[in-house]
């Protein structure tokens, strides 16, 4: 990379001449003919060159070999094009990168696992702080575990499960611990042990001014990071979590129903709603309608209960088939849900939090009609509740939606070059988003963002938004850390 220093120097100079960095060096717009501005420009380039040589961070531009690899994200549909990638080694490197972005007046986005639906972990023409080298796991006393933000969920499970411990987290193997935790983080174990962010007890955090903070449990920043931390105030360089004993088994029951029309889909959904919220805390269930085909998944990891049997008994006569399995190897069981691991084209988004079927009854027929008539359009509802809704977690986190029993989402997938299919999906997607919005279903999950959400601030953060804005003002007044839906001070 160092042999490309001349190219890099040219690129940095172009950025500065394009207007970045002027305020820091306190001069008027630099032009080729202005000797003072030219001298100041050279000074900023010298500073950046110096930083390139430290051990804490390496700056890459698209002239560098590794750039494309580091700029690759899970969602190929939302690919962006940053000017500089800062590949950091540690919290000091993050701090240096933030200061240099400020010097260049570049916005900063933060990448851990790169699974943001809208690619809020990248930008066009700005700096991306790439945390991929911060992916280590370290055990502390009392079964606490310190995890780097770019550790992927499968790497986390690979380390914790053989030690007979679990951290409640998501199911997809290549999602990063960083983004998942900072937006909430739910999965199979959340109704028993809370969201991933509810298990966060300490963190190392670099704010938008480059200052490094060691956060303990009751720090206001830790409150903010538990659900409101995605690319808003600064960069987390490590998380400390409590862990829980691994369960003895992980079992599922899976129902299938095919060739559904709107009426049958509605009956199935209403039945599922009626029984699913009664499930004990060790259970999770998802209602997944893909065009005319339905899958209902129910998992549990403790003793079978009457509430679980009630849901199974209610669904059995109205579905086409049912399978179930008990697995005592938890690692093997979770691997079944790791999903696709390489980048794909898709549009996914939260489709509202609900408490009962009545919350959606005003629009659900139109929603289901659209889904059953559009093969490949997926409407999914997941159970929440249990420990997620405990008031104890509520007061300690900015995650705003503790009162709901269900979270729904929309998904569509296509292949490269299928532009007509994509455009059709996007049209139907927006149509359904509008139906829910007009029906009053406006609370949305931060980790399932959509650029199309109206009033996204209250949708994600509810009543916590003003407090989050005050924290933004305190730790990133210049709005250096930002993306399209980051908290505004
Ligand atoms: C296939 C798939 C499956 C999923 N399954 C689940 C699931 O089961 N449960 C669930 O809750 N969610 C799930 N999600 C959503 C997932 O939680 C979010 O997409 C999450 O934000 C991704 O985190 P990441 O680190 O991989 O992404 P990134 O794109 O790297 O980051 C996402 C956001 O967090 C910010 N961020 C990341 N790291 C830091 C940091 N260290 N400091 C400050 N800001 C940071 C980024 O700036 C960006 O705004 C899934 C997503 C996908 C694509």
């Amino acid at each position: 990379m160092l042999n490309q220093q001349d190219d890099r120097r040219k690129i940095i100079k172009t950025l500065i001449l394009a207007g970045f960095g002027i305020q820091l060096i306190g001069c008027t717009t630099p032009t080729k003919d202005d000797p003072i501005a030219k001298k100041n420009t050279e000074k900023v380039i010298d500073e950046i060159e110096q930083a390139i040589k430290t051990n804490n961070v390496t700056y890459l531009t698209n002239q560098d070999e590794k750039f494309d690899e580091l700029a690759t994200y899970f969602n190929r549909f939302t690919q962006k094009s940053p000017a500089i990638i800062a590949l950091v080694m540690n919290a000091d490197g993050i701090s240096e990168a933030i200061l240099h972005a400020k010097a260049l007046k570049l916005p900063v986005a933060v990448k851990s696992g790169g699974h943001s639906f809208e690619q809020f972990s990248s930008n066009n023409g700005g700096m991306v702080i790439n945390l991929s080298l911060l992916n280590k796991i370290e055990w502390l006393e009392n079964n606490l575990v310190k995890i780097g933000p770019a550790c992927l969920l499968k790497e986390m499970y690979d380390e914790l499960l053989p030690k007979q411990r679990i951290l409640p987290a998501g199911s997809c193997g290549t999602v990063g611990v960083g983004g998942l935790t900072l937006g909430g983080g739910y999965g199979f174990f959340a109704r028993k042990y809370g969201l991933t962010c509810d298990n966060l007890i300490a963190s190392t955090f670099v704010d938008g001014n480059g200052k490094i903070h060691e956060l303990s449990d009751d720090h206001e920043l830790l409150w903010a990071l538990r659900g409101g931390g995605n690319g808003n105030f600064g960069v987390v360089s490590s998380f400390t979590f409590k862990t829980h004993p691994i369960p003895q088994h992980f079992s599922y029951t899976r129902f299938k129903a095919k060739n559904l029309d709107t009426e049958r889909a509605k009956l199935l959904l209403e039945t599922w709603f009626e029984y699913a919220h009664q499930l004990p805390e060790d259970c999770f269930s998802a209602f997944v309608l893909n065009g005319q085909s339905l899958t209902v998944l129910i998992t549990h990891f403790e003793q079978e209960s009457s509430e679980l049997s009630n849901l199974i008994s209610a669904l059995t006569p109205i579905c086409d088939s049912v399978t179930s399995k008990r697995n005592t190897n938890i690692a093997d069981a979770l691997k079944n849900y790791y999903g696709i691991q390489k980048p794909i084209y898709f549009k996914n988004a939260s489709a509202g939090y609900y408490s009962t079927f009545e919350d959606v009854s005003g629009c659900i027929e139109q929603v289901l009609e659209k889904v059953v008539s559009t093969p490949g359009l997926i409407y999914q509802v997941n159970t929440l509740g249990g420990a997620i809704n405990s008031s104890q977690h509520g007061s300690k986190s900015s995650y705003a939606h503790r009162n709901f029993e269900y979270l729904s989402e929309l998904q569509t997938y296509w292949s490269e070059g299928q532009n007509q299919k994509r455009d059709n999906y996007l049209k139907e997607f927006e149509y359904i988003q509008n139906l829910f919005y007009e029906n009053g279903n406006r609370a949305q999950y931060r980790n399932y963002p959509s650029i199309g959400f109206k009033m996204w601030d209250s949708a994600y953060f509810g009543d916590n938004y003003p407090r989050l804005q005050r924290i933004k003002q305190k730790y990133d007044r210049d709005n250096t850390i930002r993306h399209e839906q980051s908290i505004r001070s």
Side-chain angles (χ1 to χ4, degrees):
M1 276 173 281
L2 282 178
N3 58 4
Q4 289 166 331
Q5 210 152 325
D6 286 347
D7 281 342
R8 188 192 345 262
R9 205 171 167 88
K10 262 189 238 154
I11 287 168
I12 295 168
K13 196 166 187 170
T14 309
L15 283 168
I16 293 170
L17 286 170
F20 299 116
I22 298 162
Q23 217 169 49
L24 174 95
I25 58 181
C27 64
T28 52
T29 306
T31 67
K32 280 183 202 151
D33 307 327
D34 178 345
I36 300 172
K38 203 171 165 190
K39 202 171 152 203
N40 283 331
T41 302
E42 292 299 330
K43 195 175 139 210
V44 173
I45 298 175
D46 284 346
E47 280 179 20
I48 292 168
E49 291 289 349
Q50 194 51 41
I52 288 168
K53 287 179 200 143
T54 76
N55 291 328
N56 298 323
V57 53
T58 305
Y59 295 99
L60 300 105
T61 68
N62 61 9
Q63 303 295 305
D64 289 306
E65 208 180 304
K66 264 183 87 77
F67 185 89
D68 284 351
E69 186 193 324
L70 293 172
T72 300
Y73 285 74
F74 186 67
N75 191 352
R76 297 182 70 188
F77 175 50
T78 50
Q79 189 64 42
K80 295 176 188 169
S81 184
I84 298 178
I85 293 178
L87 183 61
V88 296
M89 297 294 295
N90 47 36
D92 288 333
I94 295 172
S95 174
E96 285 174 26
I98 289 175
L99 294 178
H100 282 286
K102 282 172 98 77
L104 290 170
K105 291 189 79 185
L106 292 179
V108 171
V110 190
K111 182 186 184 193
S112 284
H115 272 53
S116 168
F117 290 173
E118 296 287 5
Q119 212 170 112
F120 290 153
S121 40
S122 187
N123 54 34
N124 288 312
M127 178 187 282
V128 171
I129 296 188
N130 185 301
L131 301 169
S132 54
L133 300 175
L134 307 188
N135 62 350
K136 309 289 178 301
I137 302 181
E138 182 190 340
W139 286 95
L140 308 174
E141 284 181 346
N142 300 323
N143 292 312
L144 299 181
V145 69
K146 195 184 232 188
I147 305 184
C151 177
L152 306 183
L153 295 187
K154 61 179 181 180
E155 295 165 346
M156 181 275 286
Y157 289 126
D158 277 353
E159 172 63 30
L160 267 64
L161 299 178
K163 304 263 178 354
Q164 305 300 307
R165 306 296 296 178
I166 54 154
L167 171 66
S171 47
C172 176
T174 48
V175 164
V177 169
L180 180 101
T181 305
L182 295 170
Y186 82 95
F188 297 126
F189 304 101
R191 299 179 78 250
K192 178 79 179 180
Y193 299 119
L195 300 168
T196 314
C197 71
D198 297 330
N199 292 271
L200 176 66
I201 59 157
S203 174
T204 304
F205 177 79
V206 188
D207 72 19
N209 301 309
K211 186 170 175 212
I212 301 173
H213 303 258
E214 291 302 332
L215 308 179
S216 56
D217 202 22
D218 51 2
H219 197 287
E220 64 177 352
L221 270 168
L222 214 59
W223 173 86
L225 295 183
R226 293 185 181 118
N230 297 107
N232 286 322
F233 326 99
V235 184
V236 172
S237 64
S238 87
F239 299 94
T240 301
F241 295 102
K242 60 185 176 198
T243 61
H244 303 270
I246 195 173
Q248 300 297 307
H249 73 100
F250 185 84
S251 303
Y252 74 80
T253 305
R254 183 182 290 130
F255 291 92
K256 297 264 186 199
K258 290 204 181 336
N259 304 319
L260 299 183
D261 57 15
T262 307
E263 199 183 336
R264 191 164 164 222
K266 188 178 167 200
L267 169 75
L268 283 156
L269 182 62
E270 204 168 355
T271 308
W272 181 80
F273 262 98
E274 190 182 336
Y275 291 93
H277 73 98
Q278 296 170 8
L279 289 170
E281 291 187 348
D282 70 305
C283 296
F284 165 87
S285 185
F287 179 100
V288 189
L289 184 64
N290 180 347
Q292 293 183 309
S293 301
L294 173 71
T295 303
V296 176
L297 175 71
I298 312 166
T299 65
H300 76 283
F301 55 86
E302 290 180 350
Q303 304 250 321
E304 280 194 24
S305 62
S306 56
E307 291 86 353
L308 175 59
S309 307
N310 289 345
L311 176 58
I312 292 171
S313 305
L315 290 175
T316 303
I318 53 176
C319 287
D320 299 338
S321 65
V322 53
T323 49
S324 56
K325 187 171 177 187
R326 182 184 167 92
N327 201 333
T328 51
N329 184 328
I330 309 301
D332 276 358
L334 295 187
K335 276 182 191 141
N336 291 323
Y337 303 94
Y338 278 2
I340 298 168
Q341 312 219 355
K342 60 178 190 343
I344 49 173
Y345 290 88
F346 68 94
K347 168 84 183 164
N348 288 4
S350 169
Y353 286 89
Y354 330 128
S355 291
T356 64
F357 185 76
E358 280 63 49
D359 289 350
V360 290
S361 56
C363 68
I364 201 68
E365 263 181 43
Q366 286 164 282
V367 170
L368 296 175
E369 196 175 346
K370 182 58 72 185
V371 176
V372 298
S373 61
T374 314
L377 181 57
I378 301 171
Y379 170 58
Q380 177 166 346
V381 192
N382 308 294
T383 49
L384 296 175
I388 300 168
N389 292 7
S390 96
S391 55
Q392 184 207 339
H393 292 319
S395 62
K396 296 191 79 168
S397 72
S398 58
Y399 177 86
H401 304 307
R402 302 273 177 189
N403 296 329
F404 295 99
E405 296 289 335
Y406 302 99
L407 169 66
S408 70
E409 56 186 294
L410 288 173
Q411 305 173 25
T412 55
Y413 302 86
W414 62 91
S415 302
E416 187 166 11
Q418 292 184 319
N419 295 351
Q420 202 179 339
K421 191 172 184 182
R422 174 199 66 200
D423 293 346
N424 187 45
Y425 276 153
L426 296 182
K427 187 168 83 89
E428 308 303 15
F429 204 100
E430 199 181 328
Y431 168 80
I432 295 181
Q433 284 187 318
N434 277 329
L435 286 175
F436 281 124
Y437 184 84
E438 294 304 326
N439 192 54
N441 308 114
R442 296 183 184 177
Q444 307 292 357
Y445 180 31
R446 174 57 159 178
N447 265 341
Y448 290 173
S450 172
I451 207 74
F453 286 148
K454 299 174 193 130
M455 301 196 299
W456 56 263
D457 43 7
S458 57
Y460 295 135
F461 304 114
D463 293 344
N464 289 333
Y465 192 64
R467 186 172 168 195
L468 288 165
Q469 286 183 292
R470 289 195 292 277
I471 291 174
K472 172 78 176 175
Q473 178 75 10
K474 195 163 160 188
Y475 296 99
D476 184 28
R477 186 186 293 260
D478 298 342
N479 199 21
T480 302
I481 314 297
R482 65 178 187 266
H483 54 74
E484 293 89 329
Q485 292 181 343
S486 56
I487 288 162
R488 314 285 192 242
S489 56

